[in-house]
């Protein structure tokens, strides 16, 4: 099911650490493979330090899509979306995740670690990585998103 995403880069700050560990534990037996960019504890860290490696690796086409997690999802999404080829979407349920892929061709799912349940996060990630971009009128729209940075 997730074969096209051979490996998924994942990164978080301290507020997303427990959720990141849970995702890896539950989703690995379901066929996901992860490149863990950290953090590796609940000790306070700066989210950009862990978002940049994930976003850069997707931006540079080393990976097709990724996962980032911070407290609200906002800081992580803002950081990732500085990259020209990134469309990071904050997803708090599976329907938002589906639409992020279907209509926006999002390539990074951003989870709000303090505002999403663990099971809802699992559902959102599975839907995100199993939904294809619809294209058509949506392609025209995403091509209008300014891409100022490389």
């Amino acid at each position: 099911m997730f074969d096209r995403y051979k490996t998924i880069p994942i990164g978080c700050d301290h507020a997303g650490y427990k959720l990141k560990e849970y995702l890896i534990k539950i989703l690995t037996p379901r066929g996901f493979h992860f490149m863990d960019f950290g953090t590796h504890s609940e000790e306070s860290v700066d989210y950009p330090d862990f978002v940049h490696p994930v976003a850069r690796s997707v931006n540079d086409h080393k990976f097709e899509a990724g996962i980032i997690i911070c407290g609200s999802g906002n800081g992580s999404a803002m950081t990732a979306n500085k990259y020209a080829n990134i469309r990071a979407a904050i997803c708090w349920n599976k329907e938002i995740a589906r639409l992020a892929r279907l209509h926006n061709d999002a390539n990074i799912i951003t989870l709000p670690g303090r505002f999403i349940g663990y099971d809802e996060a699992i559902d959102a990630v599975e839907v995100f990585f199993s939904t294809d971009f619809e294209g058509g009128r949506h392609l025209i729209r995403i091509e209008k998103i300014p891409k100022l940075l490389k």
Side-chain angles (χ1 to χ4, degrees):
M1 181 176 187
F2 308 104
D3 289 343
R4 78 179 219 215
Y5 301 102
K6 300 288 185 211
T7 302
I8 299 168
I10 189 169
C12 67
D13 70 357
H14 54 283
Y17 171 72
K18 284 185 177 180
L19 178 56
K20 175 185 66 97
E21 294 298 304
Y22 184 78
L23 291 172
I24 292 170
K25 176 183 173 185
I26 299 301
L27 293 174
T28 297
R30 296 184 187 180
F32 283 80
H33 304 281
F34 295 97
M35 170 67 71
D36 187 352
F37 285 98
T39 193
H40 301 290
S41 77
E42 292 182 86
E43 183 179 334
S44 183
V45 295
D46 298 328
Y47 59 83
D49 295 339
F50 302 93
V51 171
H52 281 299
V54 173
R56 188 177 306 112
S57 69
V58 175
N59 184 73
D60 295 345
H61 307 290
K62 293 177 182 166
F63 300 100
E64 191 171 339
I67 301 169
I68 52 179
I69 312 163
C70 70
S72 69
N74 287 307
S76 290
M78 288 182 212
T79 301
N81 281 323
K82 298 295 182 194
Y83 290 83
N85 298 315
I86 297 301
R87 287 171 308 283
I90 303 172
C91 299
W92 57 91
N93 64 41
K94 63 185 177 184
E95 184 60 17
I96 295 295
R98 186 180 76 78
L99 291 172
R101 286 286 308 127
L102 191 68
H103 291 177
N104 307 114
D105 198 21
N107 53 10
I108 293 183
I109 184 171
T110 307
L111 299 171
R114 291 186 174 134
F115 299 95
I116 189 170
Y118 285 18
D119 291 336
E120 190 67 46
I122 293 289
D123 290 345
V125 169
E126 287 186 324
V127 166
F128 185 88
F129 285 95
S130 63
T131 302
D132 291 323
F133 177 50
E134 190 173 63
R137 71 185 192 280
H138 303 293
L139 178 60
I140 294 165
R141 293 171 184 163
I142 66 166
E143 287 176 343
K144 290 181 178 183
I145 297 171
K147 295 183 178 182
L148 302 176
L149 301 176
K150 293 185 179 189

